[in-house]
Amino acid sequence: MKDIKYRFEQFAFYDHDAIKERLEAMALQGWLIEKPGNFIWRYRRIEPKKLHVAVTYFPNASEFDPGPTEGQQMMEQFAKKDGWKIAARWGQMQIFYNEAEEPTPIETDAVTQVETIHRAMRKNMLPTHFILLALCIYQLCFSVVDFIYDSVDFLSAPASLYMVPSWILILIPIIIEICFYFSWYKKAKTIAEERDEFLSIKRNHAGSYILLLLSLLIIIIAFVSSGITFAAMLIWIVVMGVIIFTVNMLKNRMKRKGVSRNLNRFMSIGITFILTLIFIYGVVFIIIRYGTNYGRTPVGTYEHYGTTLKIYDDPLPLEIEDIMDIDGQWSKEARGNETIFVSDMRYNQRSIFIEENEGPDLSYRIIDVKVPFLYDFCKESLLNEYQDEVYDDYIFYNSYFTVDASDWNAGEVYQLRWSDSILNTYLVCWENRIVEIKFYWEPTKEQIAKVAEILGK
Amino acid sequence: MPREKFRTLTEQMFYILLCLKEECYGMDILDKIPAMTGKRVSVGSGTLYNLLEQFLEADMILETKVEGRKRSYILTEKGREMLDKEYARIKAQAQDYRAIFGEEAT
């Protein structure tokens, strides 16, 4: 028969009523808490019996302490006098048990009990929650700025767009937890002062877990939609797990060796920071060293002035050969992003730089807006990518201006002006599609009509 | 209305301070209070520890001896003042009670 059992337990740190209830039920089944934790609690086998359990908080203790502080030891000695034995400690939490029929409770003054819990939470749960709250709000603000600055990129990139609901789903339980705690604290303080009674904490986490699981699901969808493979995600998860495991292992080892709280905290945070940096730099190094093909495979390579360039043969909706009679050799590249709101595909047909190959280049971007009310955001975003620069009385032109749309059979068409030149770059607005196209030659009306026929919806 | 800290004392606070009129080990207060009150009042070990710390911080008691983990304390002037105020408050309440219920109160 096993003498150790592990259970997934999830309590709010201050929810001592729920913890007490669970531990008393476990004692009846023959298990006594040995080591609490963030998710997994360890129990050891005992003879099944009715035990009284008390969960108390010691605000001046820390997860990084090498052992119980002098104050904790003193309190445990007091408790021992009334028959309370220490079962486990976890940071500021101490768990006692008592075999007597009706032992004197460890906490007999509601005012003091509420204040002690609050002092412990001010050092433990509340800072963590406020930091997470600030992080969520920062990320959401960042997303808003991203959306305003470049709506098309934001709305078409799964990693950007889908993180918004994900962060919101993380933010909601944090706000609920903070509000619930302060609501409880305010009521508990009043009741304790007026009636010397302790207001029980009744906290149901089911809703929060559902939101957090949904958030995780959205994050996975975001990464998969971004083209990140399951293998890459698995590696990411494993590496994060290894970092967490390593840091915890080192922290516990330092505790066993009697390293002081401050040194342990400094080393643990430092090691976490260093390992995370190493991992991030490793990823960046791999990307720089080996590049990323966005899931595409090159069909060849060629040398150009000492540089090896790749040749692609991706299918393109519009090719130069469709609009002019020409022989040439090109690298044809397609890449893009797509979400439920916007699809942003970029296509390039570039001449291969070899002798006797003088074909022109063509590049274009097709933005399909699937939700009508986002169309104007996308159009404005594309127009605003180019801004004139004004120096005293001189204007350096670098912006789109309206031209005749009839050649394109479109709603609106803009052409790019740069300095004193008019470039062969157009922004063409059809009903649900916007195309930004750059010709590396001056197109004829017939060529424009052909492009409109192929790309216009 | 929330009470300002130690503006009024709970029963536990009152009896802990009372025990410290004479120098006393913290641990011994756990037995002294039930003995003093005919077992009407008892103080939990957690409550005792936390209140001793709070009283020390508020200069209401003084730590007089430390022998390993055994510490003894004594009431200070400030602590005595708080007790006196609380006693006056309780007396006033008792007086008001007798004024309302008259002979029934005795």
Side-chain angles (χ1 to χ4, degrees):
Chain A
M1 216 185 326
K2 285 190 294 187
D3 289 335
I4 296 288
K5 177 199 264 244
Y6 292 91
R7 268 182 65 110
F8 175 80
E9 307 281 14
Q10 215 3 265
F11 301 105
F13 194 75
Y14 59 98
D15 196 354
H16 66 288
D17 291 322
I19 297 171
K20 169 188 147 75
E21 224 174 87
R22 173 64 56 79
L23 298 183
E24 286 177 352
M26 291 298 287
L28 280 173
Q29 294 170 35
W31 297 100
L32 181 67
I33 183 65
E34 192 171 67
K35 188 169 169 12
N38 285 316
F39 296 104
I40 305 294
W41 288 37
R42 190 171 77 212
Y43 296 84
R44 63 176 170 84
R45 184 175 287 288
I46 58 168
E47 189 194 313
K49 58 176 94 168
K50 185 175 186 312
L51 290 180
H52 290 278
V53 171
V55 178
T56 65
Y57 299 91
F58 199 87
N60 292 332
S62 163
E63 178 61 20
F64 297 97
D65 285 333
T69 62
E70 215 175 280
Q72 273 177 298
Q73 289 177 53
M74 194 165 126
M75 195 197 140
E76 287 167 22
Q77 208 176 31
F78 282 8
K80 205 170 168 183
K81 201 167 185 318
D82 286 335
W84 290 97
K85 296 172 194 161
I86 186 78
R89 297 181 202 90
W90 180 32
Q92 291 148 327
M93 183 191 288
Q94 289 166 275
I95 301 174
F96 294 89
Y97 68 95
N98 198 316
E99 297 187 39
E101 274 290 320
E102 285 180 24
T104 305
I106 289 186
E107 304 282 359
T108 50
D109 184 294
V111 168
T112 310
Q113 190 177 4
V114 169
E115 271 317 300
T116 305
I117 290 174
H118 187 57
R119 279 171 55 216
M121 294 311 113
R122 271 168 48 193
K123 291 186 177 183
N124 181 303
M125 183 205 90
L126 290 174
T128 312
H129 275 60
F130 280 118
I131 288 170
L132 276 173
L133 178 74
L135 185 65
C136 286
I137 292 172
Y138 170 79
Q139 290 291 342
L140 287 169
C141 289
F142 195 75
S143 295
V144 168
V145 166
D146 220 5
F147 169 73
I148 291 169
Y149 184 70
D150 194 334
S151 304
V152 174
D153 261 355
F154 178 80
L155 291 170
S156 63
S160 303
L161 181 70
Y162 296 153
M163 290 309 290
V164 172
S166 189
W167 282 112
I168 291 172
L169 289 172
I170 293 171
L171 182 67
I172 293 170
I174 292 172
I175 292 176
I176 291 173
E177 190 68 44
I178 292 174
C179 290
F180 180 89
Y181 173 77
F182 279 107
S183 167
W184 168 81
Y185 174 59
K186 192 175 167 201
K187 282 186 215 155
K189 201 167 166 212
T190 306
I191 288 172
E193 285 167 358
E194 290 174 1
R195 305 201 301 248
D196 197 21
E197 280 171 23
F198 182 79
L199 178 66
S200 247
I201 298 157
K202 287 183 173 68
R203 182 84 182 91
N204 188 337
H205 278 275
S208 297
Y209 294 145
I210 291 169
L211 290 175
L212 288 172
L213 279 170
L214 272 173
S215 172
L216 191 61
L217 188 64
I218 291 172
I219 291 171
I220 292 172
I221 292 171
F223 281 128
V224 169
S225 307
S226 299
I228 296 173
T229 63
F230 272 117
M233 273 199 301
L234 199 60
I235 290 170
W236 185 278
I237 291 167
V238 165
V239 169
M240 293 275 86
V242 164
I243 291 175
I244 292 169
F245 175 79
T246 305
V247 170
N248 267 322
M249 187 189 67
L250 288 171
K251 179 186 76 178
N252 290 331
R253 185 162 286 184
M254 281 191 277
K255 277 165 77 166
R256 282 195 296 273
K257 287 202 178 298
V259 171
S260 75
R261 174 200 295 188
N262 288 335
L263 183 59
N264 192 335
R265 184 189 286 132
F266 175 78
M267 295 289 290
S268 297
I269 292 171
I271 290 164
T272 307
F273 184 71
I274 290 167
L275 288 178
T276 309
L277 263 184
I278 290 173
F279 173 57
I280 291 171
Y281 278 126
V283 168
V284 169
F285 172 78
I286 288 168
I287 290 174
I288 290 172
R289 177 75 175 80
Y290 297 103
T292 172
N293 292 325
Y294 301 97
R296 300 168 300 142
T297 311
V299 297
T301 59
Y302 68 99
E303 295 295 316
H304 180 65
Y305 287 114
T307 305
T308 304
L309 300 172
K310 293 176 186 169
I311 303 173
Y312 293 91
D313 190 24
D314 300 334
L316 305 182
L318 169 72
E319 296 182 358
I320 292 171
E321 302 94 302
D322 294 329
I323 54 175
M324 69 166 70
D325 190 12
I326 187 167
D327 279 329
Q329 292 180 66
W330 293 274
S331 172
K332 299 176 184 176
E333 301 168 43
R335 61 183 174 92
N337 283 319
E338 184 174 6
T339 66
I340 55 173
F341 293 145
V342 171
S343 155
D344 179 7
M345 297 301 296
R346 297 173 195 235
Y347 303 96
N348 286 299
Q349 188 171 359
R350 296 196 193 287
S351 271
I352 293 172
F353 296 113
I354 53 175
E355 277 184 43
E356 295 156 12
N357 185 32
E358 291 179 359
D361 289 358
L362 177 70
S363 60
Y364 55 98
R365 187 178 173 188
I366 300 178
I367 295 120
D368 286 318
V369 184
K370 303 173 192 177
V371 179
F373 83 87
L374 292 172
Y375 187 90
D376 286 338
F377 282 113
C378 294
K379 188 182 79 177
E380 288 307 312
S381 173
L382 291 164
L383 288 170
N384 290 335
E385 273 182 29
Y386 296 92
Q387 301 281 334
D388 293 336
E389 288 163 33
V390 180
Y391 305 97
D392 294 329
D393 295 329
Y394 173 69
I395 301 173
F396 182 90
Y397 291 104
N398 184 26
S399 59
Y400 278 110
F401 64 96
T402 318
V403 295
D404 185 5
S406 56
D407 291 345
W408 294 85
N409 196 25
E412 290 170 87
V413 177
Y414 301 83
Q415 192 169 4
L416 187 64
R417 175 164 46 189
W418 186 83
S419 184
D420 297 328
S421 312
I422 309 288
L423 302 183
N424 294 308
T425 301
Y426 297 87
L427 192 75
V428 187
C429 304
W430 283 288
E431 192 183 339
N432 293 319
R433 172 175 282 196
I434 304 170
V435 171
E436 188 174 48
I437 184 164
K438 182 174 182 178
F439 299 95
Y440 285 77
W441 73 95
E442 183 151 356
T444 63
K445 279 194 177 213
E446 290 74 26
Q447 287 170 335
I448 286 172
K450 190 70 183 169
V451 168
E453 187 191 328
I454 293 170
L455 296 185
K457 279 184 155 180
Chain B
M1 188 173 218
R3 181 198 295 151
E4 181 190 304
K5 199 171 183 179
F6 302 140
R7 189 158 61 89
T8 59
L9 303 178
T10 63
E11 204 168 43
Q12 319 275 315
M13 294 175 187
F14 182 83
Y15 281 105
I16 291 171
L17 289 172
L18 209 57
C19 286
L20 295 176
K21 176 178 178 280
E22 310 285 336
E23 188 181 0
C24 171
Y25 284 116
M27 182 101 77
D28 294 342
I29 295 174
L30 290 172
D31 294 326
K32 273 184 113 170
I33 291 179
M36 190 191 285
T37 61
K39 294 192 182 175
R40 186 179 60 83
V41 179
S42 58
V43 67
S45 45
T47 298
L48 174 64
Y49 176 84
N50 286 315
L51 284 176
L52 287 173
E53 289 294 301
Q54 288 181 38
F55 289 152
L56 271 173
E57 250 175 77
D59 295 325
M60 288 162 67
I61 63 175
L62 196 63
E63 195 176 77
T64 53
K65 258 190 300 194
V66 179
E67 294 165 355
R69 277 183 226 143
K70 284 182 82 170
R71 292 163 190 240
S72 56
Y73 308 89
I74 194 160
L75 199 62
T76 62
E77 277 302 313
K78 186 176 176 187
R80 177 62 195 264
E81 263 173 48
M82 299 295 293
L83 262 178
D84 288 346
K85 269 191 201 158
E86 184 64 20
Y87 175 61
R89 190 183 72 83
I90 293 168
K91 261 195 350 189
Q93 274 184 310
Q95 220 163 349
D96 294 337
Y97 180 85
R98 275 196 297 274
I100 298 297
F101 287 102
E103 286 305 310
E104 283 178 61
T106 51

